[in-house]
Amino acid sequence: MPQPDEEPLEALFAFDTRCLEDWDEGRAPAALGGGHGALYRNHLLIALRLDAWAEAESRRTDTDARYRAGYTQALQDMAAFLRQTYYLPEGPD
């Protein structure tokens, strides 16, 4: 598995921004170039892993459909919050 600083930026930003309620085109590059750029890059990597986890959970057949849908949505929400810089020390403006 690539280390966080080895993952290409294209891969880290390969997500649909239309699904994000608070996406700001300028905030992401500013976060990457700011004082917490390494932390934000790590958040983007975690978001990729959460997406994969959500996808795997959505295919499960051994759980209740409502439980599975809620669990999947929670994983997707966490990925969205990470991408939107919510968990950086300065957070979104």
Side-chain angles (χ1 to χ4, degrees):
M1 171 183 295
Q3 295 300 311
D5 59 346
E6 295 173 354
E7 189 76 37
L9 282 178
E10 299 82 38
L12 294 175
F13 285 102
F15 55 88
D16 187 358
T17 59
R18 294 174 300 176
C19 300
L20 304 175
E21 288 184 20
D22 189 28
W23 180 251
D24 180 327
E25 289 291 329
R27 195 165 60 216
L32 277 175
H36 300 288
L39 180 59
Y40 183 53
R41 187 179 187 90
N42 181 258
H43 287 184
L44 292 172
L45 185 62
I46 292 168
L48 283 176
R49 302 303 180 252
L50 288 171
D51 284 344
W53 187 2
E55 179 62 31
E57 284 296 322
S58 72
R59 292 190 307 268
R60 286 181 62 181
T61 59
D62 62 333
T63 59
D64 176 73
R66 288 183 356 180
Y67 170 84
R68 187 172 53 250
Y71 195 76
T72 300
Q73 184 64 52
L75 292 169
Q76 292 167 337
D77 288 348
M78 282 303 302
F81 295 153
L82 288 165
R83 288 179 171 128
Q84 294 173 118
T85 72
Y86 285 16
Y87 296 110
L88 291 179
E90 64 270 6
D93 293 336

